[in-house]
Amino acid sequence: MDIQTLYNLFQATFQPDTNIRIQAELQLQQLDGTQGTLLLCMQIVGSEDSEIHVRQAASIYLKNAIKRNWVEKGVSNHKITDSDREAIKGNVLQMLVSAPSIVRSQLITVLGVIIANDFPSQYTALPGQIQALLQSQDPKIVHVGLLALKELTRAYKFKATEREPVEDIIVTFFPAIHQIGTRLMSADNAEAAGMLKLIFKAYHDTIQLELSERLRDNSFLIPWGTLFIQMVEKPVPTDGQSGDREELEKGPWWKAKRWAYQCLNRIYTRYGNPTALPSDSKYKPFAMSFIQNFAPNILTAYLKQVELWVAKQVWISPRVLCIMGNFFEESVKDKHTWAMIKAHSETLITHFVFPQLCFTSADEALWVDDPAEYIHSKIGVTEDFDSPVTAAINFMTVMARYRRNAFMQVLALANNVLQKYNEAPEGAKNPREKDGALVMIGALAPLILPKKSLASNMETFFVSHVFPEFKSQHPFLRARACEMVNQFSDLDFENPNNVAIVYTNLMESLRDSQLPVKVTAALALRPMIRHDDVREAMKPHLQFIMQELLTVTNQIDLDTLTEVMDDLVEVFAQDLAPFAVQLCEQLRDTFLRICGDMGPNGQEDTSDDTDKTMAAMGVLKTISTLILSLESTPDVLSQLEVALLPVVTFTLQNAIMDLFDGVFEIIDGFTFSAKSISPNMWGVFELIYKTFKESALDFMEEMMPSLDNYLSYGKELFCTNENAQHSVYDIIDTVMTSDRLGENDRVQACKLAESFLLNCRGHVDKYIAPILNLVFHYLAPEEGIESVEFRVQATEVVMNSLYYNAPETLRLLEENRWTQRFFEVWFSNLNKFSRVHDKKLSIFALCSILNVPVAQLPATLQSAWPQVLNGILKNFEGLPVAQARRREMERRFNIVSDDEEEDDDDDDDDDDDEEGQKALEAALAADDSEVEEEWVDDDEDVYDEGHEYLEFLAKEAAKKNAALAGETNDGGEGGDDGDEDEDEDEDDDDLEEEIYFESPLDELDPYIVFREVFTGLQQHNHASYNELTKATTPEQQEFIMHLLHVGEVNAIAAAENSTATVKA
C-alpha cells in the first residue's frame, strides 16, 4: 500500500459518515502485520505537512500495533519484520523531537514497549542516542532525551532481577541530568518544571527496589540530596497560573516538587531509617550515617515549609502535605529525628495536624453537592494513603502511641478546644474546631481505651462533649457524634441510661434527612448489638432498621453498610423470619440495581465500579447469612429460593466473576439447608456447569461445596441421569488436566471425585478407570505431587475406588502397574490421614480389600497380606484421637461467642472497681502507674510491629538459605534445630478437620464393619484368615479382640436404636 492511500484511510476514520468510517477501520485492521505499514505510519506521524488529526490517528494505530505485535508469541506471529523493527528503533527518538504533544504521548508508549522488550541486548544504540539528545543546546531536544531516559529507568522500576543495566544507567546519565537539573533550578517557566519532574522521576525509578552502592556514596548522595532540598525550598512561580487550588496542584511546578519530596521520602523510609530495617540489612551502615548526617537537613527543610504554610506565606498541595506527614511519622521512631520533632511537636500538633482534621469549606461544599462522595472520602479515610488527612492522623497517632509527651499534648489541645467551645456564647462557638478535636480523640480511641485512667473518664466525656451534638444544628457534628460512638464501641458505660441515650439518638439519626448522618448512625448501630438491652430494644424496630439500611444502600454503594445488615441478620435471624421473604426481595432488587450500574461483566474500570462490586459482595453475604440462619424453616427457604433465583442466574449468565464466590455461597446455603434439590436448583446446576466451561475454571474451590451438596442431596438423580454424571466427570477431568490450574484446584477435583464415587456407589462403574487415570498421572511419578493435601486427597480417590469396587480397582491397578506404587504411597503416609473421615475411609477401603478372594488379589498384595491388617489396626489406633480432636474443635467453635461474653463481663468487673471517675482533663494529671504504657523513652528508638515482621522475614530467609546450603545437616546444635524445625513442619502438614463435611461414611460404624469382615473371614475363609493373622503380636491380638468387642457392643446398640425408631 502506498503512503497516500494509508493517509486517506486514517483521514476517513474521522468522517461523520458511519459507513465510511467503519470501512476505513476494517481496512486498517486488515493491514495488521503487513510489511512496511508501520514505517508508512511513522512517515505520516513525523510529517509536519500531515493534518494533526491524521497524525494523531496514525500514532494511535502505530502504538496499538507495537503493543500487540512487538513481543513475539511464536513464529507464526512474526508480524513485524526485523528490518521494520530496526527502522522503528532508529527513528522513534527523532520523531519525538518534532512531534506535537498529542502525538508525543503515543510515541512515548511505543518507546516504552520497545525498551521493555529489547533493551539492552537488542537495543544497544539507545544509550548513545539518549546521550546525544541530552548534550544538545536546544531545550526541546534535551526534554526528549529526558523523556527517553525516563522510559529507560521505568523499565527497571519494579524489575527485581537482571538489574545490571541500572548501574550503567546511573554512571552514564546521572551526572549529566544532575547538571541539567541544577541549571533548571534558576528557571521559572513551565518547561523547566516539566524537565525537572522527569529528572526526579528517573531517579525515583532507580531507587524503588534498591539503593545502589553508587547512589549511597556521598559523591552522589550529597549533590542529589541538595538538588531535592533546593526544589523543596524553591518558591513556586505564580505568573500566569490560575488561583484555583486544584489547577495549582496539577501545574508543572507542584508536580516537580512532589517528585522531589518523594525521592527524599523514599531514601529515608526505605533505606535511611535504621528502625525500619532488619538487623542484617545491607543498608544498615548507610542508614546509621544517613539518620545523623542527612535526615536532619531534610527534616529542617520540611519544618521550614510547614512554618511558612502555617503563616499562610505559601500554599502546599494536599499530596505534598501527605508526603510530609509520612516523613514526620517515620521521624518519630528514630531517636535522632525524634529529638528534632519533639522540639516542634506541640506546634506540629496544633498548627499542622489539627487544622487538617477540622471540617473545612471544601468538606461542606462536597457534603452539599455530592453527599455520597463525601461519605466515600471520609469513611475508611485511614486507608487512603494519598490523603493528607490520613497522613496527619497517622503521624499524630504514632506520636501519641510511642511518645508520652506528644500523647499528653494531643489530649491537652483537644480538651482546650472542647472547653473553649462549651464556654463560648452560642454565636461565638466554632463547630468546625470542635469537629477537629473530636476527630483527634476518636483517632486515639485504640490508645485511650486500654489506659484505665483515661478510659474511666470517657463516659463523662461523652456526656459533656458528644451527646449534645446528636441534636446539633450542624449536620457534620451530628455525624461526628455517631462516628465517636462507633470509634469508642468498646467503651463500657457504667450508667445504663447512657447506653439507652446512645441507642435512642442513633435511631433518631437513622431518620436524619442528611445522608452522611444516616450512614454514620447505621455504622454505629452495629457494635451496639453487643449490649443485651439494646438488642431487646432493637427487636420491635428491626423492619424499620433494615428498611432504612436498604434505602441508604440504594443511595450509596458502601460495603460497610452491607456488613451492618449481615450482622443484624446473623443476630436477629429468627426475629426477621416473618418478613424474610420481603427482605430478600429488597436485597435482590438492590443487588440487581448495583450490578446494572456496573460495567459489562462486572469489570472494574473505575473506583466507583470497585465500590459497587464491594457493595454487591456485601449484599450477597447478607443473603447467604439469612439463608443459613433460616435452616429450620423449610417453607420460608423455598420462598427465598424463588425470590433469589434471579440473583444467581444474573450473576452466572453474565459471568460477573468478582461475585462468583458470593453466589456459590448462596447456592451452597440453599442446597445444604434444604438437604434436598428443588427443580429450580437443578436448573442452577446446569447453569453452574455451563458457567464452569465458559468462565469459571478458576473457581473450583468456590464451587466445590455446592457441587458436593448436589451429589449428596440429589444422589437419586445422579445415579440414574447419565448427562448429570458426565457433567460431574467432565469438571473433574478439566480441572485435573488444565495447565492453568495448580494443586489446590486439583485437591478440589479429588474431593469431587470422592463425593461422586461415594454418593453414586454402584451406578458409575464406567468412570472408575478414567478417574484412576487422572489421579495416577500425578500419583504414579515419584515427584508428581508437592503438597501433602494433594497427596492425601489423590490417594483417597483410589481408596474410594477400592471401597466402591475393590476387585475391579485392584485389577486396574495391576493392569497399569500401579499396585506397588500406590500401596507404598498409602502406607508410608498413614500418619497424614489424620482426620476422622480419612481414618474411617482407610479402614473401609482396607476392609473391602479383605473381602476380595485371595485368588483375585495381585501377587504383590498377596505377599504383603498381613500388612493390610496392620494398616487397619494403625488407623483404629489413631481414630479415637482424631475423634477427640474433632469434638474439641466443634466445642471450641460453638462457644467462641460465650468466651467473648465472659471477657466482656471481666472488663465490666474491672471497670466496677474503678472509683472516683473524673472528666477528661483530670486524666492529664493521672498517676502514670495506672496506665498500661507503650511509650518509649525519648532517647530510645521505636521498633514497631512492622520492624518485628521484617526481622521475622529476615530470619525465615536466613533459615531457608541455610537449608539450601545444607547447613542444617551439619550435626551438633544446628542439626538438632533442623530436626526440631522438621518436626514442626510435620505438625503443620496435618490436615485440619472440616467440621461441616458430610459423607455417606458418617452413617457407618467402622468397628461394626471391621467385626463383620474379620469374623466373616474367620468363619468362611480360613486360609485367608490364617495368612492375615500369622504375624500378629500378642498386643495386636489383644487389640483385635478389643475392636471386635466394641463392634459387637455398637451393633447391639444400633439394633436397639433401629427398633426404637421403627416403633416410634
Side-chain angles (χ1 to χ4, degrees):
M1 178 175 287
D2 62 88
I3 191 168
Q4 187 58 50
T5 303
L6 185 60
Y7 186 97
N8 293 338
L9 285 176
F10 286 126
Q11 196 171 44
T13 60
F14 287 90
Q15 289 292 326
D17 188 318
T18 306
N19 292 328
I20 295 175
R21 193 167 65 248
I22 291 174
Q23 187 63 33
E25 290 169 354
L26 289 173
Q27 286 186 260
L28 287 170
Q29 287 177 16
Q30 292 170 2
L31 291 174
D32 187 36
T34 305
Q35 185 175 355
T37 298
L38 296 185
L39 298 185
L40 293 177
C41 279
M42 293 188 75
Q43 291 182 44
I44 294 171
V45 172
S47 173
E48 295 184 6
D49 295 331
S50 300
E51 296 174 76
I52 188 63
H53 66 275
V54 175
R55 294 178 75 181
Q56 181 187 9
S59 67
I60 293 172
Y61 181 89
L62 176 67
K63 176 194 71 175
N64 291 336
I66 295 291
K67 288 174 68 175
R68 188 168 54 248
N69 298 323
W70 195 272
V71 182
E72 295 297 336
K73 296 184 176 64
V75 178
S76 61
N77 195 36
H78 195 80
K79 292 187 175 182
I80 305 177
T81 64
D82 291 342
S83 59
D84 282 3
R85 289 171 184 268
E86 292 306 314
I88 291 169
K89 288 188 282 192
N91 289 281
V92 66
L93 286 178
Q94 194 55 46
M95 289 174 61
L96 277 165
V97 173
S98 60
S101 59
I102 197 171
V103 172
R104 180 175 290 170
S105 61
Q106 312 299 329
L107 295 178
I108 284 293
T109 303
V110 169
L111 179 63
V113 172
I114 296 172
I115 289 173
N117 292 284
D118 284 20
F119 187 82
S121 60
Q122 299 175 59
Y123 203 174
T124 55
L126 180 65
Q129 293 172 352
I130 296 176
Q131 269 188 314
L133 294 171
L134 293 175
Q135 290 168 1
S136 172
Q137 300 303 307
D138 186 339
K140 290 184 179 179
I141 295 177
V142 174
H143 186 228
V144 171
L146 292 172
L147 282 170
L149 179 61
K150 172 64 187 70
E151 287 304 306
L152 182 56
T153 58
R154 182 171 174 265
Y156 292 93
K157 184 175 182 178
F158 297 110
K159 198 169 185 178
T161 58
E162 301 176 6
R163 290 185 61 83
E164 294 80 6
V166 175
E167 188 68 15
D168 294 334
I169 291 169
I170 293 169
V171 172
T172 304
F173 296 110
F174 274 34
I177 64 173
H178 180 270
Q179 289 180 7
I180 295 170
T182 302
R183 292 198 304 268
L184 291 171
M185 286 302 301
S186 60
D188 288 337
N189 55 66
E191 292 74 19
M195 294 166 74
L196 281 166
K197 182 191 78 171
L198 291 171
I199 291 170
F200 298 152
K201 289 184 74 173
Y203 183 95
H204 192 272
D205 285 347
T206 63
I207 65 170
Q208 182 68 35
L209 289 184
E210 67 175 27
L211 187 67
S212 74
E213 193 170 343
R214 191 174 300 275
L215 290 180
R216 280 178 263 160
D217 189 88
N218 285 349
S219 62
F220 269 75
L221 184 66
I222 292 173
W224 277 100
T226 302
L227 181 62
F228 296 141
I229 290 177
Q230 286 175 345
M231 190 66 207
V232 166
E233 295 176 337
K234 180 179 174 64
V236 173
T238 56
D239 293 344
Q241 291 195 29
S242 165
D244 182 82
R245 292 186 172 183
E246 284 191 17
E247 291 301 317
L248 280 174
E249 183 166 19
K250 294 176 183 176
W253 281 106
W254 273 110
K255 285 184 177 179
K257 269 184 169 288
R258 176 164 67 88
W259 281 102
Y261 276 97
Q262 290 197 167
C263 287
L264 291 170
N265 272 39
R266 186 66 181 172
I267 296 171
Y268 175 56
T269 60
R270 179 69 177 82
Y271 310 105
N273 184 355
T275 66
L277 297 170
S279 54
D280 63 346
S281 171
K282 66 179 180 180
Y283 301 113
K284 203 75 173 184
F286 168 78
M288 298 304 293
S289 171
F290 186 89
I291 200 70
Q292 297 182 56
N293 301 317
F294 292 90
N297 297 327
I298 303 172
L299 197 49
T300 299
Y302 282 17
L303 290 170
K304 178 62 177 175
Q305 294 304 303
V306 170
E307 183 182 332
L308 294 172
W309 180 72
V310 169
K312 302 191 184 304
Q313 295 178 23
V314 299
W315 177 80
I316 298 178
S317 74
R319 187 70 184 90
V320 169
L321 283 174
C322 177
I323 295 169
M324 293 170 74
N326 293 337
F327 193 94
F328 292 152
E329 178 190 345
E330 284 297 310
S331 299
V332 171
K333 299 174 185 177
D334 188 89
K335 59 189 175 187
H336 299 93
T337 47
W338 168 242
M340 293 182 66
I341 289 284
K342 182 184 177 183
H344 301 273
S345 60
E346 189 167 5
T347 300
L348 287 169
I349 292 166
T350 305
H351 299 293
F352 178 73
V353 173
F354 179 65
Q356 296 189 67
L357 306 189
C358 294
F359 191 78
T360 66
S361 299
D363 291 332
E364 184 175 17
L366 187 59
W367 180 300
V368 173
D369 296 339
D370 192 345
E373 183 55 35
Y374 172 85
I375 294 166
H376 281 300
S377 71
K378 296 300 180 182
I379 300 295
V381 66
T382 53
E383 298 173 5
D384 184 357
F385 300 113
D386 292 334
S387 164
V389 176
T390 300
I393 289 174
N394 289 345
F395 169 44
M396 177 190 71
T397 52
V398 168
M399 273 200 301
R401 178 179 180 183
Y402 295 114
R403 306 297 185 180
R404 182 184 186 281
N405 185 60
F407 182 82
M408 295 305 174
Q409 287 171 346
V410 172
L411 291 185
L413 172 62
N415 186 60
N416 291 338
V417 171
L418 294 172
Q419 288 300 325
K420 178 183 173 184
Y421 182 88
N422 281 354
E423 294 167 2
E426 197 60 38
K429 292 181 185 295
N430 188 331
R432 293 185 176 183
E433 285 192 352
K434 175 164 188 178
D435 183 67
L438 292 178
V439 171
M440 294 182 100
I441 297 298
L444 295 186
L447 307 180
I448 291 173
L449 288 172
K451 301 182 190 328
K452 294 179 182 179
S453 60
L454 292 176
S456 62
N457 291 291
M458 289 311 298
E459 184 164 1
T460 304
F461 172 85
F462 265 76
V463 172
S464 301
H465 302 297
V466 178
F467 288 180
E469 302 312 328
F470 281 117
K471 307 297 182 184
S472 173
Q473 62 177 315
H474 305 288
F476 64 87
L477 280 179
R478 299 201 297 272
R480 182 61 56 203
C482 297
E483 176 68 10
M484 287 292 289
V485 169
N486 200 359
Q487 290 173 308
F488 281 89
S489 59
D490 289 335
L491 177 66
D492 291 311
F493 290 100
E494 290 212 346
N495 186 342
N497 291 333
N498 287 331
V499 177
I501 289 170
V502 170
Y503 168 69
T504 302
N505 281 296
L506 289 179
M507 290 295 288
E508 286 300 314
S509 298
L510 203 56
R511 295 179 171 88
D512 201 286
S513 61
Q514 299 290 314
L515 182 62
V517 180
K518 293 169 76 78
V519 170
T520 50
L523 298 180
L525 267 179
R526 183 185 185 188
M528 292 295 292
I529 299 172
R530 73 183 181 92
H531 298 283
D532 294 338
D533 292 343
V534 171
R535 284 201 302 276
E536 289 303 313
M538 288 176 75
K539 286 181 179 179
H541 306 287
L542 283 173
Q543 191 165 6
F544 160 76
I545 294 171
M546 295 300 291
Q547 186 60 55
E548 285 298 314
L549 289 172
L550 285 165
T551 301
V552 172
T553 301
N554 282 319
Q555 293 176 272
I556 178 172
D557 299 317
L558 198 66
D559 60 311
T560 45
L561 279 175
T562 54
E563 289 172 6
V564 177
M565 287 193 286
D566 189 42
D567 279 6
L568 289 171
V569 165
E570 187 171 355
V571 174
F572 298 106
Q574 297 307 313
D575 302 283
L576 289 168
F579 47 94
V581 176
Q582 178 189 350
L583 175 59
C584 271
E585 288 172 345
Q586 291 174 317
L587 287 168
R588 172 199 64 200
D589 295 343
T590 297
F591 174 83
L592 294 175
R593 191 270 307 164
I594 294 171
C595 290
D597 292 342
M598 290 162 59
N601 300 113
Q603 294 173 357
E604 296 175 8
D605 297 327
T606 65
S607 60
D608 186 49
D609 282 341
T610 302
D611 292 335
K612 293 181 185 302
T613 300
M614 295 300 293
M617 288 178 177
V619 173
L620 292 176
K621 183 69 169 64
T622 302
I623 291 172
S624 182
T625 301
L626 186 60
I627 292 168
L628 291 175
S629 63
L630 295 172
E631 182 179 359
S632 59
T633 55
D635 292 341
V636 176
L637 277 177
S638 62
Q639 295 178 64
L640 296 187
E641 188 181 288
V642 174
L644 294 171
L645 193 60
V647 169
V648 175
T649 55
F650 181 88
T651 305
L652 297 181
Q653 287 172 351
N654 289 279
I656 308 179
M657 288 185 278
D658 286 335
L659 304 180
F660 277 177
D661 191 6
V663 162
F664 286 128
E665 272 195 31
I666 289 174
I667 298 169
D668 177 30
F670 274 130
T671 51
F672 181 79
S673 299
K675 300 293 190 291
S676 63
I677 311 297
S678 69
N680 283 329
M681 296 312 292
W682 278 122
V684 169
F685 173 77
E686 295 173 3
L687 186 54
I688 290 174
Y689 176 65
K690 181 174 182 291
T691 305
F692 169 80
K693 296 297 289 182
E694 294 175 355
S695 58
L697 177 61
D698 298 314
F699 291 85
M700 185 61 197
E701 187 170 4
E702 289 78 9
M703 287 193 305
M704 181 55 208
S706 301
L707 294 174
D708 182 54
N709 290 344
Y710 275 104
L711 284 164
S712 298
Y713 308 125
K715 63 179 69 175
E716 292 80 8
L717 184 140
F718 281 103
C719 288
T720 57
N721 189 313
E722 290 194 3
N723 288 334
Q725 292 175 9
H726 172 75
S727 296
V728 172
Y729 172 74
D730 189 39
I731 292 173
I732 297 167
D733 177 76
T734 303
V735 174
M736 293 295 284
T737 57
S738 173
D739 293 335
R740 276 173 49 185
L741 303 179
E743 288 197 351
N744 187 54
D745 299 291
R746 302 196 214 289
V747 165
Q748 306 307 316
C750 289
K751 289 181 178 180
L752 183 59
E754 177 178 22
S755 182
F756 188 44
L757 293 173
L758 282 174
N759 286 291
C760 300
R761 196 174 184 214
H763 299 278
V764 288
D765 296 30
K766 67 179 182 180
Y767 290 108
I768 292 179
I771 286 175
L772 289 176
N773 275 318
L774 292 173
V775 168
F776 274 99
H777 176 77
Y778 302 97
L779 205 55
E782 289 285 343
E783 305 297 328
I785 293 178
E786 295 181 4
S787 70
V788 170
E789 186 175 15
F790 187 26
R791 189 179 303 113
V792 167
Q793 292 298 156
T795 306
E796 289 194 348
V797 172
V798 188
M799 290 158 59
N800 270 284
S801 183
L802 286 166
Y803 176 63
Y804 180 98
N805 187 333
E808 176 64 11
T809 301
L810 290 171
R811 184 188 69 77
L812 289 168
L813 294 179
E814 191 67 11
E815 188 177 283
N816 290 280
R817 299 181 179 178
W818 293 332
T819 308
Q820 185 170 350
R821 169 64 181 161
F822 168 67
F823 281 96
E824 284 176 359
V825 172
W826 187 3
F827 279 69
S828 65
N829 287 279
L830 276 179
N831 62 317
K832 302 300 182 188
F833 296 87
S834 55
R835 299 167 296 190
V836 173
H837 175 78
D838 301 335
K839 294 193 176 297
K840 290 179 69 174
L841 177 60
S842 289
I843 292 166
F844 295 145
L846 290 168
C847 285
S848 297
I849 294 174
L850 291 184
N851 274 330
V852 177
V854 176
Q856 295 182 27
L857 291 173
T860 52
L861 193 56
Q862 288 181 19
S863 61
W865 193 230
Q867 294 303 314
V868 176
L869 180 59
N870 288 340
I872 293 174
L873 297 180
K874 285 183 180 179
N875 278 288
F876 268 118
E877 286 171 5
L879 181 60
V881 176
Q883 290 171 328
R885 284 179 180 171
R886 182 182 177 95
R887 283 194 298 270
E888 175 63 18
M889 179 177 285
E890 290 171 343
R891 188 192 68 78
R892 282 189 285 113
F893 184 84
N894 289 331
I895 65 168
V896 165
S897 58
D898 295 339
D899 288 342
E900 289 174 353
E901 287 174 10
E902 288 173 14
D903 291 343
D904 289 343
D905 291 340
D906 292 342
D907 292 340
D908 290 342
D909 293 339
D910 290 340
D911 290 341
D912 288 340
D913 293 337
E914 295 291 331
E915 297 181 358
Q917 294 187 353
K918 302 174 183 179
L920 177 62
E921 59 269 27
L924 299 178
D927 183 2
D928 292 344
S929 63
E930 296 179 13
V931 181
E932 296 81 0
E933 293 186 16
E934 226 180 324
W935 293 314
V936 176
D937 290 343
D938 290 338
D939 58 353
E940 292 181 4
D941 294 326
V942 171
Y943 295 100
D944 58 11
E945 297 90 343
H947 181 269
E948 292 173 4
Y949 183 61
L950 287 174
E951 288 287 354
F952 167 76
L953 292 179
K955 288 178 181 177
E956 289 298 305
K959 190 187 297 182
K960 185 175 181 181
N961 291 336
L964 290 174
E967 293 177 10
T968 53
N969 297 321
D970 289 344
E973 240 178 282
D976 292 342
D977 290 343
D979 294 340
E980 202 171 295
D981 292 337
E982 203 172 300
D983 291 340
E984 289 177 7
D985 292 340
E986 290 289 326
D987 292 339
D988 291 341
D989 286 340
D990 282 351
L991 302 182
E992 190 172 284
E993 278 286 352
E994 300 174 27
I995 57 177
Y996 290 114
F997 176 75
E998 296 179 358
S999 88
L1001 299 186
D1002 296 343
E1003 304 301 318
L1004 299 178
D1005 187 320
Y1007 294 93
I1008 296 176
V1009 171
F1010 173 71
R1011 175 177 172 273
E1012 291 173 351
V1013 171
F1014 193 80
T1015 55
L1017 278 178
Q1018 192 176 30
Q1019 295 170 7
H1020 307 295
N1021 196 335
H1022 297 293
S1024 181
Y1025 174 79
N1026 291 333
E1027 183 67 22
L1028 185 72
T1029 58
K1030 67 180 182 181
T1032 54
T1033 65
E1035 292 79 8
Q1036 287 178 323
Q1037 292 170 10
E1038 184 178 348
F1039 187 49
I1040 291 170
M1041 295 304 296
H1042 166 71
L1043 296 178
L1044 295 175
H1045 173 69
V1046 173
E1048 182 179 8
V1049 171
N1050 290 358
I1052 294 170
E1056 291 174 351
N1057 289 336
S1058 177
T1059 303
T1061 302
V1062 171
K1063 288 182 178 179

